[in-house]
Structure formats: C-alpha cells, structure tokens
Amino acid sequence: VFWGNARIVGRDGKEIPLQSSAMKFENVLQPREQGKDYFGGPIKIAGNPFDHATPGQPQDVNSPAIVRIDLAGMDAMRFKATLGGDFPLGNESGLRKTYSIRSHGTQARFLTLIEPHAAASVIKRAVATDADHLRVELTDGNVQTITIQKFDGDGKNIHVEMTDTHGGAVQTESTSTDQHDSN
C-alpha cells in the first residue's frame, strides 16, 4: 500500500509534497529503496507510475500502520493523495502491460495488437474507430485499417480485411475462417 504523490494543501492553496515534511512511521513496512516498491520495482497505482510515494503497508498485519506528519507552520487545510496497492511488484519489464475499463452493458470486445519488432516501434498510434474497425498509424506515414466482420457467434465465417494506405496507394489483404475450415 502506498500514498502516491501525497501532499498537504495550505489555506493559500499551495501544495506541499509530503516527502518534504517530517514524518514518523509506526509499524510501516519500508521499501529498501526510496521511490521503489517492496521488491525494487517502480511504484504504480492503477497503472499510473508515481515517483513520490509514501509507504503505508503494515509490517505486522495484525496492527495498524501509522504515519505521523508534523503540520506545524503549514496552515494545512487538506490532504491529497492517490491511495492504492502497487501491482505488479518488482521488476515488471518482462511482463505484459494491461489496461482495464469498467463499463455497463451485455457485450465486450477485446483486441490485442501485437507488434513484433527487433528495434524501434513502428506503430505511432492505434485507435478502435468502432466495434469492427481498428485504425493503425505507422511512423512511416502508412495507415492501416483493420476490419473484422462476423466476429459475433460461434467463430465460423469471421472475415478480416486490412487496407494499407500510403501516399495515395491502397493495398488490401483479407482472410476468412471459412477459407481454412476442412468441413
């Protein structure tokens, strides 16, 4: 548990970062390195990185963790922070990055765009323009539009088409699951 970018807001609206305040910790598990999680990785709360985070994890889970802050002379009015658990713990460079969205409804579609490359990324931007179309802008100016048809159902007869546009030239490729069925 961490407080990300914790700060005290004074009566004048000025925000004072918590790390510049005198703090005393009681039963708080301290990371080995300041600004890192308990396993030496970056601190991310809900996927957002925090360079300045105050630990709040109890060392003894049967007792509360207490952080005391000396507010003398601050004319403090508010406390602001992002509170949450860091996940994943430790070095995450080899882990898949994920993104989540909460929505209401009865259907959801998930699309993973994989870019195998040995050097620099060539994808500048990727946007789902609607449920069936993905627009991929490349660093060389190419624009690829990927269309997926008949995605609903039992997985038969799905049709995927990719149109590549560059400098007025258009090239289209397509494939269907019915082309590969042996039935």
Side-chain angles (χ1 to χ4, degrees), residues 11-12 52 64-65 69 81 89 103 112 114 128 140 155-156 160:
R11 188 175 308 278
D12 60 0
H52 302 289
I69 306 160
L89 297 171
S103 181
T112 301
I114 299 173
D140 66 0
K156 293 183 179 179
V160 179

Side-chain angles (χ1 to χ4, degrees), residues 8-160:
I8 304 295
V9 181
R11 188 175 308 278
D12 60 0
K14 182 180 175 186
E15 296 187 1
I16 303 162
L18 198 61
Q19 71 268 15
S20 64
S21 305
M23 290 183 281
K24 293 184 181 177
F25 298 93
E26 297 173 26
N27 191 40
V28 176
L29 183 62
Q30 294 292 324
R32 286 177 274 193
E33 188 178 343
Q34 185 70 13
K36 301 286 185 181
D37 69 18
Y38 298 109
F39 293 90
I43 297 172
K44 291 185 181 175
I45 301 172
N48 298 312
F50 288 90
D51 294 329
H52 302 289
T54 303
Q57 180 74 27
Q59 191 162 1
D60 174 2
V61 295
N62 296 315
S63 299
I66 299 171
V67 179
R68 297 188 191 276
I69 306 160
D70 184 1
L71 300 175
M74 288 190 194
D75 203 16
M77 294 299 295
R78 293 181 64 198
F79 173 77
K80 291 171 75 174
T82 300
L83 174 67
D86 170 61
F87 184 80
L89 297 171
N91 180 356
E92 58 188 60
S93 62
L95 300 178
R96 180 186 304 222
K97 307 299 187 246
T98 60
Y99 179 74
S100 70
I101 295 174
R102 179 177 291 175
S103 181
H104 299 282
T106 59
Q107 290 186 0
R109 290 189 180 183
F110 299 90
L111 179 69
T112 301
L113 180 63
I114 299 173
E115 178 189 24
H117 62 86
S121 172
V122 297
I123 295 177
K124 180 179 177 181
R125 180 177 159 185
V127 176
T129 56
D130 62 35
D132 299 320
H133 296 87
L134 177 68
R135 178 183 166 91
V136 182
E137 298 174 16
L138 305 178
T139 55
D140 66 0
N142 282 29
V143 175
Q144 297 174 341
T145 303
I146 301 169
T147 303
I148 304 171
Q149 297 173 330
K150 299 181 182 177
F151 193 62
D152 296 335
D154 61 5
K156 293 183 179 179
N157 300 318
I158 297 173
H159 182 78
V160 179

